Amino acid sequence: MSPKPVYQEFCRDQAVPAFNHPWWLDAVCGPDNWGVALAEDKKGELAAALPYHIRRVKGIPFLLTPPLTPYLGLWRYEAYDSLSLADQFTFDRQVIPQLLEQLPMHWGHIQKLHHRTKNWMPFLWKGFQAQLRYHFVVPGLSEREAVRRRFNRSVKYSIKEGEKVLALEDSTDLNALVSIIEHTFDRQGLSAPVTLSLLQQMDGPARKFGHVQLLLARHQDGTVHSGVYLMHTEGVTYPITAGNGKGARDSGAFPWLMWQAMQAGAEQGSEAFNFCGSTMPNVAPVLNGFRALPVPYFEIYRARYRWATPFLQWLL
C-alpha cells in the first residue's frame, strides 16, 4: 500500500498537528512534491512518520521545509509519551534510521523538528548537523488578564493606543494581507516570501480541513494597518504569516493585533500562542515584550556532498 494513504490514517488516529497532515502538505507543497517515510514498532504497529517536502533547485532535488510551515518532521505515535526516557532513546535509535533509509535521492536535506523532539542524536549518527533555534511561546491563554499583565510597558501602551483608533476584522481578504506583507518587506528592500497565489493555494484547504482565521486591524481612516493569518491546532495558535502596513507604527497596530490574536486563540481552545520566533536581534526583543518564552528546537541539515554544505547553511 502507498505510504500516503497509510499516513492519512495515522494522522486521523494520532494527535498530529495540522502542519504535518497530508491536506496541508498538498496545499503548500503540491500533491506531487511531498512524501513520507513510515516505521513500525516491534508489534508491527505504525509508530513513527517523517514527512518531507521535495523541492527542485535548477532540477536538483532537495528536501526542505515547506513555505508557511513552522516545522515538519519526525512524529511518533502517542504511546511514545508513556515510555521511559531510556525506552524513548532506544525507540529513536531504532526507528529514525529506518525512516532515513526510505528518503528519495536528494542533494541536501533541511528539516525543522518540532520542539518536542529533544533527542536528535540518531540524525547526528547519520551525518546530520543541527542549528539550535527558538520558538517564542506565550503560555496560559485561558488566563487572559494574567497574560496581558505580563506584557512590558511598551506593548501595553501600544495596545491601549490601538484600542482608540483600530477595529478588528475577521476577514477573508487575502489581497489586503498580501499588500501589507509586501509593504513590510519593501521597507527592508527585500522581496516578500509570501505571494497571493501561495496564500490562495493554501487558504481553501486550510478553511476546509483546518481551523484558521485571517484577522485585520483596520484604522478608523479605513486603511488596513496590520494583518495576521492564524492556524489553531492541537491547543496552540500560530501566526503563520503577518504584515504591517503604512501607519502601523504610529497606531500600535502590531501589538494590538497580536493581543487580539491571542484572545482569538483562547476562544478556540488554545492554551499557547507560538510566534514561531526569530533569533534576529531586531525581532527577538519585540517578542520578548509579550513575555514570550524562548522554546528551543533543532533545525537539522545534511548535504549529500560535503561541498554542498555551505549552500545548505545559506538556506537555513
Side-chain angles (χ1 to χ4, degrees):
M1 189 174 179
S2 170
K4 285 189 177 181
V6 176
Y7 182 55
Q8 180 81 53
E9 294 181 15
F10 179 81
C11 290
R12 278 198 300 264
D13 296 339
Q14 306 292 325
V16 178
F19 303 116
N20 281 34
H21 275 255
W23 65 261
W24 175 265
L25 297 173
D26 283 345
V28 298
C29 302
D32 298 326
N33 297 322
W34 71 275
V36 62
L38 304 173
E40 298 178 343
D41 62 12
K42 293 179 179 179
K43 299 178 182 178
E45 182 179 354
L46 183 58
L50 185 68
Y52 52 84
H53 168 216
I54 306 167
R55 179 181 167 191
R56 297 185 179 277
V57 180
K58 295 186 176 180
I60 300 172
F62 290 85
L63 306 183
L64 304 176
T65 302
L68 302 174
T69 305
Y71 54 82
L72 178 71
L74 179 64
W75 205 259
R76 312 168 186 85
Y77 63 175
E78 292 178 13
Y80 179 87
D81 293 331
S82 64
L83 299 175
S84 68
L85 292 178
D87 287 341
Q88 287 181 355
F89 185 90
T90 300
F91 178 95
D92 291 341
R93 181 171 55 83
Q94 294 172 345
V95 165
I96 291 175
Q98 292 182 46
L99 297 170
L100 295 178
E101 287 170 3
Q102 299 171 47
L103 298 179
M105 195 282 291
H106 58 280
W107 281 36
H109 186 179
I110 298 175
Q111 203 140 22
K112 295 180 180 179
L113 300 178
H114 190 272
H115 63 80
R116 286 174 54 185
T117 299
K118 307 295 185 185
N119 173 28
W120 73 281
M121 273 191 286
F123 290 100
L124 173 66
W125 298 332
K126 290 296 181 178
F128 280 83
Q129 300 179 62
Q131 293 269 16
L132 184 63
R133 303 291 196 186
Y134 291 90
H135 287 313
F136 283 82
V137 179
V138 177
L141 294 187
S142 59
E143 300 292 335
R144 301 186 199 183
E145 284 310 307
V147 169
R148 180 167 177 162
R149 283 197 300 269
R150 289 197 298 267
F151 296 160
N152 73 7
R153 184 178 304 175
S154 175
V155 170
K156 289 178 180 176
Y157 176 80
S158 293
I159 292 172
K160 184 177 179 180
E161 291 302 296
E163 288 171 350
K164 299 176 183 177
V165 295
L166 299 171
L168 182 68
E169 289 186 18
D170 198 331
S171 177
T172 58
D173 189 353
L174 296 176
N175 284 289
L177 179 62
V178 170
S179 176
I180 58 177
I181 290 174
E182 289 176 344
H183 176 80
T184 300
F185 283 86
D186 285 345
R187 286 191 293 106
Q188 303 173 63
L190 301 172
S191 298
V194 178
T195 63
L196 180 60
S197 61
L198 174 60
L199 283 179
Q200 290 173 331
Q201 176 182 308
M202 174 274 295
D203 184 60
R207 292 189 181 275
K208 181 178 180 180
F209 298 108
H211 198 174
V212 297
Q213 286 181 284
L214 168 54
L215 301 181
L216 300 177
R218 189 174 294 276
H219 192 267
Q220 60 187 13
D221 66 7
T223 61
V224 175
H225 277 204
S226 191
V228 60
Y229 197 104
L230 302 174
M231 171 71 79
H232 312 288
T233 177
E234 296 303 313
V236 182
T237 293
Y238 296 84
I240 59 175
T241 188
N244 293 311
K246 187 177 181 180
R249 290 185 178 180
D250 294 334
S251 67
F254 177 75
W256 181 85
L257 185 59
M258 290 302 102
W259 171 230
Q260 305 306 314
M262 291 178 201
Q263 294 180 85
E267 290 170 2
Q268 301 302 327
S270 291
E271 272 298 320
F273 188 88
N274 189 338
F275 279 104
C276 301
S278 173
T279 54
M280 295 175 64
N282 62 330
V283 175
V286 174
L287 303 185
N288 178 254
F290 294 91
R291 296 303 182 247
L293 305 176
V295 177
Y297 71 93
F298 295 109
E299 185 172 24
I300 60 173
Y301 62 99
R302 178 180 67 177
R304 182 181 179 188
Y305 303 108
R306 184 174 296 179
W307 56 264
T309 297
F311 174 68
L312 283 186
Q313 292 172 330
W314 176 75
L315 290 175
L316 290 173

